[in-house]
Coordinates of all heavy atoms in Angstrom, one line a residue:
F26 N 9.1 56.8 -37.3 CA 10.4 56.7 -38.0 C 10.8 55.3 -38.2 O 10.6 54.4 -37.4 CB 11.4 57.3 -37.0 CG 12.8 57.3 -37.4 CD1 13.3 57.5 -38.7 CD2 13.8 56.8 -36.5 CE1 14.6 57.4 -39.2 CE2 15.2 56.7 -36.9 CZ 15.4 57.1 -38.3
V27 N 11.2 55.1 -39.5 CA 11.7 53.7 -39.8 C 13.2 53.8 -40.4 O 13.5 54.4 -41.4 CB 10.9 53.2 -41.0 CG1 11.5 51.8 -41.5 CG2 9.4 53.1 -40.6
P28 N 14.2 53.5 -39.5 CA 15.6 53.4 -40.0 C 15.9 52.3 -40.9 O 15.4 51.1 -40.5 CB 16.4 53.3 -38.6 CG 15.4 52.9 -37.6 CD 14.0 52.9 -38.1
T29 N 16.6 52.5 -41.9 CA 16.9 51.4 -42.8 C 18.3 51.6 -43.4 O 18.9 52.7 -43.3 CB 16.0 51.3 -44.1 OG1 16.4 52.3 -45.1 CG2 14.5 51.6 -43.8
M30 N 18.8 50.6 -44.0 CA 20.1 50.7 -44.7 C 19.8 50.7 -46.2 O 20.8 50.6 -47.0 CB 21.0 49.6 -44.4 CG 21.3 49.6 -42.9 SD 23.0 48.8 -42.5 CE 22.8 47.2 -43.1
G31 N 18.6 51.0 -46.7 CA 18.3 51.2 -48.0 C 18.1 49.8 -48.8 O 17.9 48.7 -48.1
H37 N 10.7 46.1 -46.0 CA 10.7 47.5 -45.6 C 9.4 48.2 -45.7 O 9.0 49.0 -44.9 CB 11.8 48.3 -46.4 CG 13.2 47.7 -46.1 ND1 13.9 47.0 -47.0 CD2 14.1 47.9 -45.1 CE1 15.1 46.7 -46.6 NE2 15.2 47.2 -45.4
L40 N 7.3 47.8 -42.9 CA 7.6 48.6 -41.8 C 7.0 50.0 -41.8 O 6.6 50.5 -40.9 CB 9.2 48.8 -41.6 CG 10.1 47.5 -41.6 CD1 11.5 47.9 -41.4 CD2 9.5 46.6 -40.4
S54 N 15.1 56.8 -42.7 CA 16.5 57.0 -43.0 C 17.1 55.9 -43.9 O 16.7 54.7 -43.7 CB 17.3 57.2 -41.7 OG 17.3 56.0 -41.0
I55 N 18.0 56.4 -44.7 CA 18.7 55.4 -45.6 C 20.2 55.6 -45.3 O 20.7 56.7 -45.7 CB 18.4 55.6 -47.0 CG1 16.9 55.3 -47.3 CG2 19.3 54.7 -47.9 CD1 16.5 54.8 -48.5
F56 N 20.9 54.8 -44.6 CA 22.2 55.0 -44.2 C 22.9 53.6 -44.0 O 22.5 52.8 -43.1 CB 22.3 55.8 -43.0 CG 23.8 56.1 -42.5 CD1 24.7 56.7 -43.3 CD2 24.2 55.7 -41.3 CE1 25.9 57.0 -43.0 CE2 25.5 55.9 -40.9 CZ 26.4 56.6 -41.7
V57 N 23.8 53.2 -44.9 CA 24.6 52.0 -44.7 C 25.7 52.4 -43.7 O 26.6 53.1 -43.9 CB 25.2 51.5 -46.1 CG1 25.9 50.2 -45.8 CG2 24.1 51.4 -47.1
N58 N 25.4 51.9 -42.5 CA 26.2 52.3 -41.3 C 27.5 51.6 -41.2 O 27.5 50.5 -40.8 CB 25.3 52.1 -40.1 CG 26.1 52.4 -38.8 OD1 27.0 53.2 -38.7 ND2 25.7 51.6 -37.7
P59 N 28.7 52.3 -41.5 CA 29.9 51.5 -41.5 C 30.3 51.0 -40.1 O 30.9 49.9 -40.1 CB 30.9 52.6 -41.9 CG 30.3 53.9 -41.7 CD 28.8 53.8 -41.8
Q61 N 28.6 49.3 -38.0 CA 28.0 47.9 -37.6 C 28.5 46.9 -38.5 O 28.1 45.7 -38.3 CB 26.5 48.0 -37.7 CG 25.8 48.1 -39.0 CD 24.4 48.3 -38.9 OE1 23.8 49.5 -38.5 NE2 23.5 47.4 -39.2
F62 N 29.4 47.2 -39.5 CA 30.0 46.0 -40.3 C 31.5 45.7 -39.7 O 32.2 46.6 -39.4 CB 30.2 46.5 -41.7 CG 28.9 46.7 -42.5 CD1 28.0 47.7 -42.3 CD2 28.4 45.6 -43.3 CE1 26.9 47.9 -42.9 CE2 27.3 45.8 -44.0 CZ 26.5 46.9 -43.8
Y71 N 27.6 46.1 -49.9 CA 26.1 46.1 -49.6 C 25.4 46.8 -50.6 O 25.8 48.0 -51.1 CB 26.0 46.8 -48.2 CG 24.7 46.5 -47.6 CD1 24.5 45.3 -46.9 CD2 23.6 47.4 -47.7 CE1 23.2 45.0 -46.3 CE2 22.4 47.1 -47.2 CZ 22.2 45.9 -46.5 OH 21.0 45.6 -46.0
Y99 N 29.2 60.8 -38.9 CA 30.5 60.5 -38.1 C 31.6 61.6 -38.6 O 32.4 61.3 -39.3 CB 31.0 59.1 -38.3 CG 30.1 58.0 -37.9 CD1 29.6 57.2 -39.0 CD2 29.7 57.9 -36.6 CE1 28.8 56.1 -38.5 CE2 28.8 56.8 -36.3 CZ 28.3 55.9 -37.2 OH 27.5 54.9 -36.9
R123 N 29.6 38.4 -34.8 CA 29.8 39.7 -35.4 C 30.3 40.6 -34.4 O 29.5 41.6 -34.0 CB 28.5 40.2 -36.2 CG 28.0 39.2 -37.2 CD 26.9 39.8 -38.0 NE 27.3 41.0 -38.8 CZ 26.4 41.7 -39.5 NH1 25.1 41.6 -39.4 NH2 26.9 42.8 -40.1
H126 N 29.1 44.5 -33.8 CA 27.9 44.8 -34.7 C 26.9 45.5 -33.9 O 26.5 46.7 -34.4 CB 27.4 43.5 -35.3 CG 26.1 43.6 -35.9 ND1 25.9 44.3 -37.1 CD2 24.9 43.2 -35.6 CE1 24.6 44.4 -37.4 NE2 24.0 43.6 -36.6
F127 N 26.5 45.0 -32.8 CA 25.4 45.6 -32.1 C 25.8 47.1 -31.5 O 25.0 48.0 -31.3 CB 24.8 44.8 -31.0 CG 24.0 43.7 -31.7 CD1 24.3 42.4 -31.5 CD2 22.8 44.0 -32.5 CE1 23.5 41.3 -32.1 CE2 22.1 43.0 -33.1 CZ 22.5 41.6 -32.8
G129 N 27.6 49.1 -33.0 CA 27.4 50.0 -34.3 C 26.0 50.3 -34.5 O 25.5 51.4 -34.7
V130 N 25.1 49.3 -34.2 CA 23.7 49.5 -34.4 C 23.1 50.4 -33.3 O 22.4 51.4 -33.5 CB 22.9 48.1 -34.3 CG1 21.4 48.3 -34.3 CG2 23.3 47.2 -35.5
S131 N 23.5 50.1 -32.0 CA 22.9 51.0 -31.0 C 23.5 52.3 -31.1 O 22.6 53.3 -30.6 CB 23.1 50.3 -29.5 OG 24.3 49.7 -29.5
T132 N 24.7 52.5 -31.4 CA 25.2 53.9 -31.6 C 24.5 54.7 -32.7 O 24.0 55.8 -32.5 CB 26.7 53.8 -31.9 OG1 27.4 53.2 -30.8 CG2 27.3 55.2 -32.1
V133 N 24.2 54.0 -33.9 CA 23.7 54.8 -35.0 C 22.1 55.0 -34.7 O 21.7 56.1 -35.0 CB 23.9 54.1 -36.3 CG1 22.9 53.0 -36.5 CG2 23.9 55.2 -37.5
V134 N 21.5 54.1 -34.1 CA 20.1 54.2 -33.7 C 20.0 55.4 -32.7 O 19.0 56.2 -32.8 CB 19.5 52.9 -33.4 CG1 18.1 53.2 -32.7 CG2 19.4 51.9 -34.5
L137 N 20.3 58.6 -34.7 CA 19.2 58.8 -35.5 C 18.0 59.2 -34.7 O 17.2 60.1 -35.0 CB 18.9 57.5 -36.3 CG 19.9 57.3 -37.4 CD1 19.7 55.8 -38.0 CD2 19.9 58.3 -38.6
V147 N 9.9 52.0 -35.8 CA 9.6 50.6 -36.2 C 10.8 49.8 -36.7 O 11.5 50.4 -37.5 CB 8.5 50.7 -37.3 CG1 8.0 49.2 -37.7 CG2 7.3 51.5 -36.9
F148 N 10.9 48.6 -36.2 CA 12.1 47.7 -36.5 C 11.4 46.4 -36.9 O 10.4 46.0 -36.4 CB 12.9 47.6 -35.4 CG 13.7 48.8 -35.0 CD1 13.2 49.7 -34.2 CD2 15.0 49.1 -35.6 CE1 13.8 50.9 -33.8 CE2 15.6 50.2 -35.2 CZ 15.0 51.2 -34.4
G149 N 12.1 45.7 -37.9 CA 11.6 44.3 -38.2 C 11.9 43.2 -37.2 O 13.0 43.3 -36.7
D152 N 15.1 40.9 -37.6 CA 16.3 41.0 -36.7 C 15.9 41.1 -35.3 O 15.9 42.1 -34.6 CB 17.0 42.4 -37.2 CG 17.5 42.3 -38.6 OD1 18.2 41.3 -38.9 OD2 17.1 43.1 -39.4
Q155 N 18.3 42.4 -32.7 CA 18.5 43.8 -32.9 C 17.4 44.5 -32.2 O 17.6 45.5 -31.4 CB 18.5 44.2 -34.4 CG 18.3 45.7 -34.7 CD 18.6 46.0 -36.1 OE1 19.7 46.1 -36.6 NE2 17.5 46.2 -36.8
L156 N 16.1 44.1 -32.3 CA 15.0 44.6 -31.8 C 15.1 44.6 -30.2 O 14.8 45.5 -29.5 CB 13.7 44.0 -32.2 CG 12.4 44.5 -31.7 CD1 12.1 45.9 -32.0 CD2 11.3 43.6 -32.2
I159 N 17.7 47.0 -28.9 CA 17.2 48.4 -29.0 C 16.2 48.7 -27.9 O 16.1 49.8 -27.3 CB 16.6 48.8 -30.5 CG1 17.8 48.9 -31.4 CG2 15.8 50.1 -30.4 CD1 17.5 48.8 -32.9
S188 N 17.9 42.0 -48.0 CA 18.8 42.5 -49.1 C 19.9 41.5 -49.4 O 20.4 41.4 -50.6 CB 19.4 43.8 -48.7 OG 18.4 44.8 -48.4
R189 N 20.3 40.7 -48.3 CA 21.4 39.8 -48.6 C 21.0 38.6 -49.4 O 21.9 37.8 -49.8 CB 22.0 39.5 -47.2 CG 22.8 40.6 -46.6 CD 23.5 40.3 -45.4 NE 24.5 41.4 -44.9 CZ 24.3 42.1 -43.9 NH1 23.2 42.0 -43.2 NH2 25.2 43.0 -43.7
Ligands
PAF301 O1 18.2 46.9 -39.5 C1 18.9 47.7 -40.1 O2 18.7 47.9 -41.4 C2 20.0 48.5 -39.4 O3 20.6 47.6 -38.5 C3 19.6 49.7 -38.7 C4 18.6 49.5 -37.7 C5 18.9 50.6 -39.9 C6 20.7 50.5 -38.1 O4 21.7 50.8 -39.1

Side-chain angles (χ1 to χ4, degrees):
F26 175 45
V27 179
T29 82
M30 298 206 301
H37 295 103
L40 302 184
S54 60
I55 298 207
F56 180 59
V57 185
N58 172 32
Q61 71 188 71
F62 288 79
Y71 196 83
Y99 302 119
R123 303 186 67 189
H126 169 66
F127 286 119
V130 170
S131 38
T132 298
V133 81
V134 170
L137 291 167
V147 183
F148 294 84
D152 295 305
Q155 168 171 279
L156 180 61
I159 287 165
S188 302
R189 291 188 167 105

